[in-house]
Each structure stands twice: as C-alpha cells, then as structure tokens.
Amino acid sequence: MNLLADLLMHAGQVTPDAPAIEVPDDRVWTHGDLAAASARMAHALVGLGVAPGDRVAVQLPKSVPAIALHLACIRAGAVYLPLNSAYTPAELGSLLDDAEPTLLVRDQAIEHSVRCLAMDDVWQLSLESPEAFDDVARDADDPAAILYTSGTTGRPKGAVLSHGNLAASATTLVTSWGFTPGDVLLHILPLFHTHGLFVALHTVLASGGSLILQASFDPVSVVADLPRASVLMGVPTHYVRLLAEPTFTRAVTSGIRLFTSGSAPMLVSTHEEFTARTGAVILERYGMTETCMLTSNPLVGVRKAGTVGPPLPGVQLRLAGESPAGIQVRGPNVFAGYWRRPELRATEFTDDGWFITGDLGTIDADGYVEIVGRSKDLIITGGLNVYPKEIELLLDTLPGVGESAVIGVQDPDFGEAVVAVIVAEDPAHQPDPEHLRELARVHLAGFKVPKRIHVADELPRNAMGKVEKARLRAEYS
Ligand code: AMP
C-alpha cells in the first residue's frame, strides 16, 4: 500500500483522459499521461540504483518531466528533495553533504561527489521503460520528502515530511477548499517550496482537477491565462503586483471561484484593494514547511482580513505563554522532525509532542487566528521586549506609508535599537521620517518608537514574498 501515490494517481486510474497539466503554448498532459510518465520515471530511478528511503535531490525549472520525477519518487519510495533554484553551487554543496542523496537531477553538473544527471537524460532513460509500475509499499510514517526551510535566518534544516503528512494535508485541502475534477488551478508558484508543491500541485492532483503550469510568475501571463482557470494560489507579493497591472480587471477574474494567499502576511489594504478591483475576497491561510497547512479562512463563511482563519479540520492549535503567545500545533499533517537533527526534537517540540511554530498569535472569539509576529524576531532594547509586528502594523496606518519592516540593530546604549524601514505609498510623496516618529509616539510607548526610520524604494523579499530581515539588518546596522 502506498497511500500517497494512490491519492495522487487516482485520477490516472479513473479518468485517464481528463486533462492534468496544460503547458501554455505547448500541450496538455492528461492524468493518464502523467501516470505513465511517472511510472516510466520510477523504473528509471530504480535502474539508476535508487532504493526506497534514498534521497533524490532536484534543482530544476518547472516542467512536466520534473513533476513526473516528483511523482516517481513517491511511487518508488524514494525521498524527494527539491532545492531552491536560487541556491548557488556553494550553498547546494552544504545541503547535499547534509542530505547525502543518491542522485542529483540538475541541468548543469556541480563540483560534488554526488551523482548528477540532467533532466533530459533521466527522461530519455524513462522512455525506454514500461508505462506501468508497482508502487513501492510505504507506511504513513515513512519519509516522502525533505524540504530545507526557507527561513530567513540561521542554518538550514531539512524538514522531513512523511507519506502520512502529505496525504492528510492534500485530503484536507481538497475538502476544505471544495476542489473538484472541474477545477483548473493557475500555477504560478515555485515547485521547490511547500506552497507550490504540496498546497497547489498535490491538492489539484488529489482532486482529479488540472493546472495550467506557468514557468514563473509574470502578471501579464496571469492576465492571459486566468480566464481559463478557476483557482489562483499566490503569495502577497503576487497580488500586489497583479494590482499594479492595469489589465488585471474584474472581467479577467470573473471565472475564478477561489483566490488564496499565504506564506507571508497580506496587508489589510491589499485585501481591500483586491476586493475593490475584482469583487472577490482573497482566502488567506497559514502553514509552514514543517506542518503543511494549519489554518484557513473559510471557503463558505466570513473571511476576515488580517487573520488566517480557524484551524483546519484535524489540526490542533493552542497558544502557550504570555501575550503575545506562541502558536503550537499537532495533527496528522505535522512533521516528526528535522533530517539528522534529533537534538532539535527537544527544542522545537514540547514534552507533550506539540510543534513550536515560532509564530506568535492571538485567537478571537470566533476562533480565527491572527499572527502577530515571530518569536525569533523579538527585539530587546534596554532590557525591554519589542515585537516588530506590533510596530509595523502601526506604521502601516500612518499617512503616506505603504508598508514597513522593523528590525533590531546593535546599539551601544540599548543593546539593540528599534529601526524601521518604510516604503512610501506613493513614490512621489515620501513621508518625513521625523514626522512619522512624532505620530508613532502618540500610539506607542517611548521604547517602542523607532530610533530611526529609513525610507526605501522596496523591501527585500525572498521567492515566497517574505521580507528578508537579515538583509535589512546587514544594510541598516
Ligand atoms: P515556510 O516554511 O516558508 O512556509 O514559512 C512559514 C512561515 O511563514 C510561518 O511560520 C509564518 O511565519 C509565515 N506565514 C505563512 N503564512 C502566513 C500568513 N498567511 N500570514 C502571516 N505569516 C504567514
């Protein structure tokens, strides 16, 4: 029994002629095509000496063969290890040392002892193989994938997601977000991150629906393909960029039944602008690499901007400690630990088995979770704690401020000083930092008021739209 393979391959069995993946300006792959391609690829992996439990690392552009390779790993019991396409060969080296994969699939070889093959070569090998494959039996606890966290600080950690975690997550999302075989998801996310891979791809495959595979995010291509889709999943930056595109109109979005956002917080003003432009309300949800999806605003019912909704079915979520309290979670979707880092079990999980997310939150009377910061973001200034998110939320409301990021920088007097970087709402009207500090002083205790406010053209963000605070700290300290 390989529950995850059964779930993702089900449509290949029952509706083999139904579309699975449309590659714009190219061809449509059916669920049957995908089942056959992944079976062939699974034979190729076995022929290359990949045994159950072995890691297969990939650093590849988005393509159907890359998706078939991912499915082949699940079917052959190998552990899929997707690597961020932004990683340099030097960064790759240390991850490969840590993960010790049997195989790396990457179009250019790198200097490393791991065996490296180009995607085309693996594809060619697969074409010589049969198009049926007996999926390797896996238990729910067996690892299916390792994802190095896209955390913006510290040494990368490989989160090990099990077959059970991924099957539970996909099943919950199909139901909670009402996916059916008629759905067409416009896929604009990278496939090396949990959002594009497990939230978007797996949910669609498990539902028997289809996706339009865009190579990367480009607002003009989104506008072109959106009329053929029913669902769009994005990060806040995608929505901000779409709103900056004049051809992104209500007519273009009228066929979309669901817009989701996550991976980073969406400003309430973006929610409002989106609704004013399209008439639609974005469904914001919250999850992590380590846990898959945790909470979601409802498909049917009130979606509250600024919150990430109640816990999804099967997910247990609690707050621990003093306000702002830490979010801890448990459930079939939550990973069991980091690759070869058993010592982290003691620090990242509680004694009674809950995962400590590192996010700080509140829960309102209706059970909706609001994320109010990251515990690791904490600034200690003159011995007092400052949570950047609190300051950012206030700065965002001040006149002329589009968005903000607050960091702690070394300070001889205070240990750390609170520093803000803001982006003007209108580039032609830059707010005066001193005036903003005066306004902030009306609302905030003196020690929380930023000692300095810098005005920048934009905030540095990673591929998932998260503000890179380490870069800001390096720049402004
Ligand atoms: P990742 O492991 O890259 O998916 O990052 C997970 C982290 O992203 C979470 O721990 C949160 O800090 C943040 N995150 C994800 N979704 C949201 C959201 N909707 N609002 C605020 N933060 C989010």
Side-chain angles (χ1 to χ4, degrees), residues 234-241 261-267 270 284 464-465:
V235 304
T237 317
H238 293 148
Y239 290 106
V240 171
R241 301 223 169 128
S261 176
S263 290
M266 178 170 264
L267 294 174
T270 308
E284 188 166 355
M464 300 313 295

Side-chain angles (χ1 to χ4, degrees), residues 239-263:
Y239 290 106
V240 171
R241 301 223 169 128
L242 282 170
L243 286 168
E245 172 58 49
T247 59
F248 182 72
T249 59
R250 197 174 280 234
V252 167
T253 59
S254 61
I256 302 295
R257 70 165 185 90
L258 179 63
F259 291 97
T260 73
S261 176
S263 290

Side-chain angles (χ1 to χ4, degrees), residues 150 193 263-265 284-289 308 359 371 374 466:
S150 77
H193 185 270
S263 290
E284 188 166 355
R285 89 298 174 287
Y286 155 61
M288 299 179 77
T289 302
V308 292
D359 291 313
I371 298 176
R374 290 272 312 152
K466 287 188 224 297

Side-chain angles (χ1 to χ4, degrees), residues 148-151 193-195 236 261-266 284-295 306-308 355 357-360 371-374 389 462 464 466:
Y148 282 89
T149 55
S150 77
H193 185 270
T194 182
H195 195 168
S261 176
S263 290
M266 178 170 264
E284 188 166 355
R285 89 298 174 287
Y286 155 61
M288 299 179 77
T289 302
E290 289 88 339
T291 63
C292 303
M293 288 303 96
L294 293 166
T295 72
T307 82
V308 292
F355 176 58
T357 63
D359 291 313
L360 304 170
I371 298 176
V372 298
R374 290 272 312 152
K389 181 85 183 190
N462 70 11
M464 300 313 295
K466 287 188 224 297

Side-chain angles (χ1 to χ4, degrees), residues 85-443:
S85 47
Y87 287 150
T88 61
E91 288 168 308
L92 281 187
S94 60
L95 297 180
L96 296 171
D97 290 344
D98 190 52
E100 292 190 310
T102 306
L103 186 66
L104 167 67
V105 185
R106 185 178 194 268
D107 292 333
Q108 288 93 34
I110 58 164
E111 270 184 47
H112 195 276
S113 55
V114 67
R115 182 174 187 192
C116 180
L117 284 178
M119 186 68 240
D120 277 354
D121 295 337
V122 183
W123 184 251
Q124 280 307 319
L125 272 178
S126 78
L127 293 181
E128 296 154 19
S129 307
E131 62 175 46
F133 180 81
D134 283 335
D135 296 342
V136 172
R138 294 280 87 185
D139 288 335
D141 291 341
D142 283 328
I146 297 177
L147 267 63
Y148 282 89
T149 55
S150 77
T152 40
T153 50
R155 170 180 161 200
K157 297 172 284 192
V160 182
L161 280 311
S162 70
H163 277 249
N165 295 149
L166 299 182
S169 178
T171 310
T172 302
L173 293 185
V174 169
T175 317
S176 298
W177 292 346
F179 270 83
T180 69
D183 270 312
V184 182
L185 178 137
L186 184 58
H187 197 291
I188 56 174
L189 294 155
L191 280 171
F192 54 74
H193 185 270
T194 182
H195 195 168
L197 188 59
F198 303 137
V199 185
L201 176 70
H202 279 199
T203 305
V204 169
L205 293 180
S207 72
S210 69
L211 52 89
I212 302 172
L213 193 71
Q214 292 196 341
S216 60
F217 172 71
D218 162 47
V220 174
S221 309
V222 170
V223 168
D225 290 341
L226 215 47
R228 297 202 305 289
S230 63
V231 179
L232 182 73
M233 294 184 182
V235 304
T237 317
H238 293 148
Y239 290 106
V240 171
R241 301 223 169 128
L242 282 170
L243 286 168
E245 172 58 49
T247 59
F248 182 72
T249 59
R250 197 174 280 234
V252 167
T253 59
S254 61
I256 302 295
R257 70 165 185 90
L258 179 63
F259 291 97
T260 73
S261 176
S263 290
M266 178 170 264
L267 294 174
V268 171
S269 58
T270 308
H271 275 285
E272 289 169 352
E273 206 186 323
F274 192 86
T275 301
R277 176 84 67 91
T278 66
V281 180
I282 294 172
L283 176 151
E284 188 166 355
R285 89 298 174 287
Y286 155 61
M288 299 179 77
T289 302
E290 289 88 339
T291 63
C292 303
M293 288 303 96
L294 293 166
T295 72
S296 171
N297 273 284
L299 181 66
V300 180
V302 180
R303 298 180 192 165
K304 294 191 198 176
T307 82
V308 292
L312 284 159
V315 176
Q316 290 174 278
L317 184 146
R318 71 183 184 191
L319 299 180
E322 288 183 8
S323 175
I327 299 177
Q328 301 181 351
V329 293
R330 205 160 66 163
N333 50 304
V334 177
F335 81 141
Y338 294 101
W339 175 251
R340 289 184 179 162
R341 305 280 294 273
E343 75 284 2
L344 294 178
R345 183 80 212 175
T347 51
E348 313 270 325
F349 287 82
T350 64
D351 290 343
D352 56 349
W354 294 65
F355 176 58
I356 303 166
T357 63
D359 291 313
L360 304 170
T362 57
I363 303 179
D364 75 9
D366 300 321
Y368 285 53
V369 176
E370 183 177 344
I371 298 176
V372 298
R374 290 272 312 152
S375 58
K376 285 170 194 144
D377 245 7
L378 176 72
I379 301 170
I380 303 178
T381 179
L384 298 167
N385 290 355
V386 176
Y387 289 92
K389 181 85 183 190
E390 182 192 352
I391 320 299
E392 290 161 4
L393 285 173
L394 185 266
L395 291 176
D396 292 348
T397 64
L398 298 182
V401 177
E403 57 175 349
S404 61
V406 168
I407 48 172
V409 301
Q410 274 199 343
D411 183 276
D413 250 1
F414 296 98
E416 277 186 297
V418 178
V419 168
V421 183
I422 62 148
V423 177
E425 197 167 24
D426 173 359
H429 296 99
Q430 303 236 331
D432 170 28
E434 270 319 303
H435 181 54
L436 292 179
R437 291 185 65 231
E438 274 165 35
L439 294 176
R441 219 170 273 130
V442 177
H443 303 273

